[in-house]
Amino acid sequence: MTELRLPRGLRDYAPENYELLELVRDAFVEEATLHGFQMMEPSSLELLSTLEAKSGPNVRDEIYHFVDKGGREVGLRFDLTVGLTRYYCSDRSLPKDLRLAAFADVWRYDEPQRGRYRWFYQWDVEIFGPRSPLADLEIVLLSNDLLSRLKVEVEFVVNDRKLTESIIRESGGENLSEEAVVEAFRALDKLDKRTKEDVMREYELKGHDPEILESVINRAESGDYELTDRLMKITALLRDMKVPFRVDPRLARGLDYYDSFVFEAKSTTHAELGSLVGGGRYDILTRIFGRPDSGATGAGGGVDRIVEAMRGIPRVRRKEVAVVYPSESEGYAVIVAETLRREGIAVHLPIHDKEVSIQRAFQDAAKKYDVLVMAGPKEAADGVVRIKMGPGDEILVPLRDAARELATTLGVWGKQ
Amino acid sequence: MTELRLPRGLRDYAPENYELLELVRDAFVEEATLHGFQMMEPSSLELLSTLEAKSGPNVRDEIYHFVDKGGREVGLRFDLTVGLTRYYCSDRSLPKDLRLAAFADVWRYDEPQRGRYRWFYQWDVEIFGPRSPLADLEIVLLSNDLLSRLKVEVEFVVNDRKLTESIIRESGGENLSEEAVVEAFRALDKLDKRTKEDVMREYELKGHDPEILESVINRAESGDYELTDRLMKITALLRDMKVPFRVDPRLARGLDYYDSFVFEAKSTTHAELGSLVGGGRYDILTRIFGRPDSGATGAGGGVDRIVEAMRGIPRVRRKEVAVVYPSESEGYAVIVAETLRREGIAVHLPIHDKEVSIQRAFQDAAKKYDVLVMAGPKEAADGVVRIKMGPGDEILVPLRDAARELATTLGVWGKQ
């Protein structure tokens, strides 16, 4: 017998989890369409050199990569931004102003942890072309509408890295070294996970004045700074559109490739989940891929986290309908089930390998399903069904009327 | 600058192709739900030993496999049946009668050809548990309803391998060797791609009497055989449900693991596509995975082929709506776009990096979009928009009524 394990860090999306994934996917496709994005999916496998373009050769330590049978170094995609950006930059016939969206799986060779796997789904949206703050704003609005649709409550945190840099430079004085600026960014990025004292001590150990950091943090907390033009435009319209947000100059979002605008969305009900959405402007990446004439701004998020944030939100369970029949009228039962399905009613047809009586079939089905459509030999002879909604609550209808009866009386309906 | 190629045999699902993929996916999820299947997705990576369980070690030549950083031999899934069966067999707490469906991507290390890639999407349905012909029938009905929903015209070809075997044995006489039977199956399986003469010559070269093959082919063509009980039940109900089909005892569907019932669906409009759906009963695989108490029957198909078969079928194009604005009222334009989207109207918001006048914005938008929602400074001052459906066809409405106006007058609506 074959072993049934999965490789370490992998998992199946079992039906109960896939159902939630599908809810997020539906909401995402809907919002992407409403906001004028085109759905696509970049290749699952890329040349290793393409994957390294964004994050450098160190990315090898964190991804699945291998040499294929043709001797090519390839890797499984670790996010969707790289693939979408490569796609956009590789085809100059594409419109310069292009909105792309993807909902797909990615792979990371991380150490697996509770609830964190080496294979998971992400959603991702990118606007290629414009550098206007309106493009950044559109990304935040889509993120907000996606989470609202899913009833996930969040607060957005927005920033412009140029604002942070100016605060750092003002705090450090004219002679501040470039390295002290970069390290200050790096330190601010750690404040989410570690104590302020710890982060300041590390900054000092690297040979920089911790007073600078202290001053940046104080000014960020007290609001003692002026917004950049970009942030001013974005925040004014976020307020108009009633998107809950705050500005925080400490938000850096890693050091990889963000230029100016950055943002995150944090769950207000599940703080432990960290950020549910992250994004910003990354004009640097289009430059690396040979399109310095194009801006790029986008956002994405892990689907598992959104699903976690959705737990506890009440959802309407669909009523489950089953056709109940004894062995002798199984042919009629198939006709009943299929007739209902073709009219849009989702129907279970339990299958019996052994002979069963109508009583036995009824007892089994009554435990599992909400609505029973009885299709015994008597019903077969008359071309009717008996619809049982509960004890004593039963109607007899011709098969041709059964779908309408189920749909209208019970509010039972297929997915669409 | 980074190279922008993809590894050999890979591709992006660009927006125009993803749109068709999404149509197939929507139809599949809908039909799976109507037929009582639960959607799930098995792991993308499996232990190599699991992948070999179905098709033997030769499968290595046809898949992507590698040693991961933990020293494990792993491979990318090459179909969805193996993963779903492993999932079902590995958890004995699952109901014995379980219907699972998956729509996901798979990888094969084949030689790429025109229209054939090393990464592509498949759909797959399986009924685990019952051995009744009703389960086989349910699989065919779902396949039929899926293709009908997509307006793809097919004819189903159905067979029972036990029927074929009995014809072979009757034609070969009592002393026919087991090897001659197996080789006869293998030969019949090739009739689709090669000439009868060619296939018969090969059978003879292997030391078997070509007369046997001739007789099987003749009896298959003339209908000189009796259906098995299983085929009798299935075909009677297919006829009742008006599913177009024929019985063909030559249909073998490879030698891998099918036991008895097998079927395919062939496009009646695109014969060159081969079969769009293939499936059958494979109780052997559940046995290999340690659940000899459970039957298994299922079907699947490549999404690319269905998409090819759908080309040429007319589809309704949604009208594209855009908000048109000069730079000076860009804030109002965002509010207009977002207000419409929140009421379910899909809206484009072209973004200008340079100053544009309303005339220029209008000229650009008129070339690309069907319906223009004008949001200039005058409209902003009054909280209204002008909706332009064509030359001279224009109405002025308050913003709060614009979504209803667009939805009802124009039949413009979001995805849902």
Side-chain angles (χ1 to χ4, degrees):
Chain A
M1 189 192 123
T2 302
E3 215 185 344
L4 301 178
R5 273 186 312 122
L6 281 175
R8 187 166 145 78
L10 276 292
R11 46 92 180 258
D12 299 311
Y13 278 93
E16 59 276 19
N17 293 325
Y18 198 84
E19 196 183 340
L20 292 166
L21 181 85
E22 189 73 1
L23 277 180
V24 178
R25 189 184 193 281
D26 282 351
F28 178 71
V29 173
E30 173 71 10
E31 287 299 338
T33 306
L34 288 172
H35 288 255
F37 287 73
Q38 294 182 287
M39 292 284 299
M40 67 165 285
E41 186 176 336
S43 175
S44 56
L45 285 165
E46 297 269 1
L47 293 175
L48 188 55
S49 57
T50 304
L51 297 177
E52 288 173 347
K54 177 177 164 189
S55 316
N58 288 340
V59 83
R60 290 178 184 228
D61 299 338
E62 291 154 28
I63 67 174
Y64 282 93
H65 65 95
F66 56 95
V67 177
D68 80 3
K69 291 168 188 166
R72 285 167 289 260
E73 285 208 287
V74 299
L76 287 162
R77 65 186 172 213
F78 62 85
D79 77 359
L80 300 168
T81 306
V82 171
L84 292 178
T85 309
R86 176 199 38 74
Y87 168 79
Y88 171 72
C89 293
S90 66
D91 185 353
R92 291 194 166 257
S93 72
L94 293 172
K96 219 199 128 193
D97 179 353
L98 193 65
R99 297 182 180 209
L100 297 176
F103 188 99
D105 44 351
V106 301
W107 293 260
R108 303 244 177 115
Y109 201 87
D110 286 336
E111 202 44 38
Q113 295 168 18
R114 206 184 82 81
R116 280 183 61 178
Y117 296 91
R118 289 178 170 169
W119 172 62
F120 53 93
Y121 270 83
Q122 282 194 333
W123 60 270
D124 197 275
V125 287
E126 313 287 346
I127 300 180
F128 296 108
R131 296 182 205 275
S132 159
L134 249 56
D136 304 322
L137 173 70
E138 284 275 88
I139 295 288
V140 182
L141 289 174
L142 181 145
S143 306
N144 174 71
D145 293 356
L146 171 63
L147 295 166
S148 297
R149 181 173 288 267
L150 293 167
K151 302 192 172 61
V152 172
E153 289 170 27
V154 295
E155 181 185 40
F156 285 86
V157 184
V158 302
N159 187 28
D160 185 335
R161 287 176 55 139
K162 293 191 168 63
L163 163 63
T164 311
E165 188 176 336
S166 72
I167 301 180
I168 295 170
R169 290 194 189 279
E170 283 162 27
S171 306
E174 265 181 30
N175 296 324
L176 197 66
S177 71
E178 283 309 306
E179 203 212 318
V181 175
V182 170
E183 287 297 336
F185 265 115
R186 211 162 264 164
L188 292 172
D189 202 38
K190 291 174 185 158
L191 286 172
D192 238 16
K193 283 159 202 135
R194 288 156 57 185
T195 66
K196 181 176 149 188
E197 290 66 35
D198 197 18
V199 169
M200 283 179 61
R201 198 174 315 119
E202 194 180 80
Y203 191 62
E204 188 169 15
L205 280 172
K206 289 190 174 164
H208 309 298
D209 181 2
E211 292 294 318
I212 299 172
L213 221 51
E214 174 99 56
S215 148
V216 174
I217 294 168
N218 287 344
R219 287 183 59 189
E221 280 175 354
S222 63
D224 173 20
Y225 50 81
E226 266 182 48
L227 297 185
T228 60
D229 287 351
R230 183 175 293 272
L231 267 186
M232 211 120 73
K233 244 182 200 170
I234 292 171
T235 54
L237 284 159
L238 287 178
R239 216 167 282 124
D240 284 341
M241 293 316 302
K242 301 196 171 28
V243 175
F245 76 94
R246 62 185 158 87
V247 176
D248 190 336
R250 288 166 296 186
L251 183 71
R253 297 237 358 107
L255 287 172
D256 278 3
Y257 56 83
Y258 288 112
D259 293 304
S260 57
F261 179 68
V262 286
F263 79 101
E264 288 185 349
K266 294 196 184 289
S267 166
T268 50
T269 54
H270 296 68
E272 75 284 2
L273 291 175
S275 65
L276 298 183
V277 179
R281 175 161 290 278
Y282 60 99
D283 298 345
I284 295 170
L285 194 58
T286 35
R287 210 176 306 148
I288 294 174
F289 281 130
R291 290 215 60 175
D293 54 325
S294 276
T297 185
V303 176
D304 290 335
R305 284 195 195 180
I306 293 189
V307 163
E308 280 310 309
M310 283 164 65
R311 290 198 198 277
I313 299 173
R315 282 178 297 127
V316 181
R317 196 178 68 86
R318 200 189 55 200
K319 284 194 175 156
E320 303 287 341
V321 179
V323 175
V324 178
Y325 62 99
S327 302
E328 54 192 305
S329 62
E330 64 176 24
Y332 183 61
V334 170
I335 293 170
V336 169
E338 190 61 13
T339 302
L340 292 173
R341 290 165 182 160
R342 289 187 185 174
E343 301 204 37
I345 308 287
V347 170
H348 296 275
L349 182 73
I351 293 176
H352 320 300
D353 274 354
K354 292 181 191 146
E355 289 279 315
V356 289
S357 64
I358 183 88
Q359 290 80 6
R360 177 60 197 277
F362 172 75
Q363 282 161 11
D364 287 351
K367 285 177 221 149
K368 292 174 69 178
Y369 305 106
D370 304 299
V371 177
L372 305 181
V373 178
M374 309 295 290
K378 263 191 290 184
E379 286 82 10
D382 298 342
V384 299
V385 293
R386 278 184 298 131
I387 300 174
K388 277 177 169 298
M389 285 149 281
D393 186 357
E394 179 179 315
I395 51 167
L396 187 80
V397 289
L399 175 55
R400 65 172 177 281
D401 298 335
R404 203 182 329 130
E405 192 63 44
L406 283 163
T408 56
T409 316
L410 300 164
V412 171
W413 206 245
K415 199 194 168 199
Q416 280 176 356
Chain B
M1 190 192 123
T2 302
E3 214 185 345
L4 301 178
R5 273 187 312 121
L6 281 176
R8 187 166 145 77
L10 276 291
R11 45 91 179 258
D12 299 311
Y13 278 93
E16 59 276 19
N17 293 325
Y18 198 84
E19 196 182 340
L20 292 166
L21 181 85
E22 189 74 1
L23 277 181
V24 178
R25 189 184 194 281
D26 282 351
F28 177 71
V29 173
E30 173 71 10
E31 287 299 337
T33 306
L34 288 173
H35 288 255
F37 287 74
Q38 294 182 287
M39 292 285 298
M40 67 165 285
E41 185 176 337
S43 175
S44 56
L45 285 165
E46 297 270 1
L47 293 174
L48 189 54
S49 57
T50 304
L51 297 177
E52 288 173 348
K54 179 177 164 189
S55 316
N58 287 341
V59 83
R60 290 178 184 229
D61 299 339
E62 291 154 28
I63 66 174
Y64 282 93
H65 64 94
F66 56 95
V67 177
D68 80 3
K69 291 168 188 166
R72 285 166 289 259
E73 284 208 287
V74 299
L76 287 162
R77 64 186 173 213
F78 61 86
D79 77 359
L80 300 168
T81 305
V82 170
L84 292 178
T85 309
R86 177 201 36 75
Y87 168 79
Y88 171 72
C89 293
S90 66
D91 185 353
R92 291 193 165 258
S93 72
L94 293 172
K96 219 198 128 192
D97 179 352
L98 193 65
R99 297 182 180 209
L100 296 176
F103 188 99
D105 44 350
V106 301
W107 293 259
R108 303 242 177 117
Y109 202 86
D110 286 336
E111 202 44 38
Q113 295 167 18
R114 206 183 82 81
R116 281 183 61 178
Y117 296 91
R118 288 179 170 168
W119 173 61
F120 52 93
Y121 270 83
Q122 282 193 333
W123 59 270
D124 196 276
V125 287
E126 314 287 346
I127 301 180
F128 295 108
R131 296 183 204 275
S132 159
L134 249 56
D136 303 323
L137 174 70
E138 284 276 88
I139 295 288
V140 181
L141 289 175
L142 181 145
S143 306
N144 174 71
D145 293 356
L146 171 63
L147 295 166
S148 297
R149 181 174 287 268
L150 293 167
K151 301 192 173 61
V152 172
E153 289 170 27
V154 295
E155 182 185 40
F156 285 86
V157 184
V158 302
N159 186 28
D160 185 334
R161 287 177 54 139
K162 293 192 168 63
L163 163 63
T164 311
E165 188 175 336
S166 72
I167 301 181
I168 295 171
R169 290 194 188 279
E170 283 162 27
S171 306
E174 264 182 30
N175 296 324
L176 197 66
S177 71
E178 283 309 306
E179 203 212 319
V181 175
V182 170
E183 286 298 335
F185 264 115
R186 211 162 264 164
L188 293 172
D189 203 37
K190 291 174 186 158
L191 286 172
D192 238 16
K193 283 158 203 135
R194 288 156 56 186
T195 66
K196 181 176 148 188
E197 290 65 35
D198 197 17
V199 170
M200 283 179 61
R201 198 174 316 119
E202 194 181 80
Y203 191 63
E204 188 170 15
L205 280 172
K206 289 190 175 165
H208 309 297
D209 181 1
E211 292 293 319
I212 299 172
L213 221 50
E214 174 99 57
S215 148
V216 174
I217 294 168
N218 287 344
R219 288 183 58 188
E221 280 175 356
S222 63
D224 173 20
Y225 51 82
E226 265 182 49
L227 296 185
T228 60
D229 288 351
R230 183 174 293 271
L231 268 186
M232 211 121 72
K233 242 182 202 171
I234 292 171
T235 54
L237 284 159
L238 286 178
R239 216 168 282 125
D240 283 342
M241 293 316 302
K242 301 196 171 27
V243 175
F245 76 95
R246 62 184 158 88
V247 176
D248 190 336
R250 288 166 296 186
L251 183 72
R253 297 235 1 105
L255 287 171
D256 279 3
Y257 56 82
Y258 287 113
D259 292 305
S260 57
F261 179 68
V262 287
F263 79 102
E264 288 185 349
K266 294 196 185 289
S267 166
T268 50
T269 54
H270 296 68
E272 75 284 2
L273 291 175
S275 65
L276 298 183
V277 179
R281 175 160 290 279
Y282 60 100
D283 299 345
I284 295 170
L285 194 58
T286 35
R287 211 176 306 148
I288 293 174
F289 281 131
R291 290 214 61 175
D293 54 326
S294 276
T297 185
V303 175
D304 290 335
R305 285 196 194 179
I306 293 189
V307 163
E308 280 310 309
M310 283 164 65
R311 290 198 198 277
I313 299 173
R315 281 178 298 126
V316 181
R317 195 178 69 87
R318 201 189 54 201
K319 284 194 175 156
E320 303 286 341
V321 179
V323 175
V324 178
Y325 62 99
S327 301
E328 54 192 305
S329 62
E330 64 176 25
Y332 184 61
V334 170
I335 293 170
V336 169
E338 190 61 13
T339 302
L340 292 173
R341 290 164 181 161
R342 289 187 185 174
E343 301 204 37
I345 308 287
V347 170
H348 296 275
L349 182 73
I351 293 175
H352 320 301
D353 274 354
K354 292 181 191 145
E355 288 279 315
V356 290
S357 65
I358 184 88
Q359 290 80 6
R360 176 61 197 278
F362 172 75
Q363 282 160 12
D364 287 351
K367 286 177 220 149
K368 292 174 68 177
Y369 305 106
D370 304 299
V371 177
L372 305 181
V373 178
M374 309 295 290
K378 263 191 290 183
E379 286 83 9
D382 298 341
V384 299
V385 292
R386 278 184 299 130
I387 301 174
K388 277 177 169 301
M389 286 149 282
D393 186 358
E394 178 179 316
I395 50 167
L396 188 80
V397 289
L399 175 55
R400 65 172 178 281
D401 298 335
R404 204 181 329 131
E405 193 63 45
L406 283 163
T408 56
T409 316
L410 300 164
V412 171
W413 206 244
K415 200 195 168 199
Q416 280 177 355

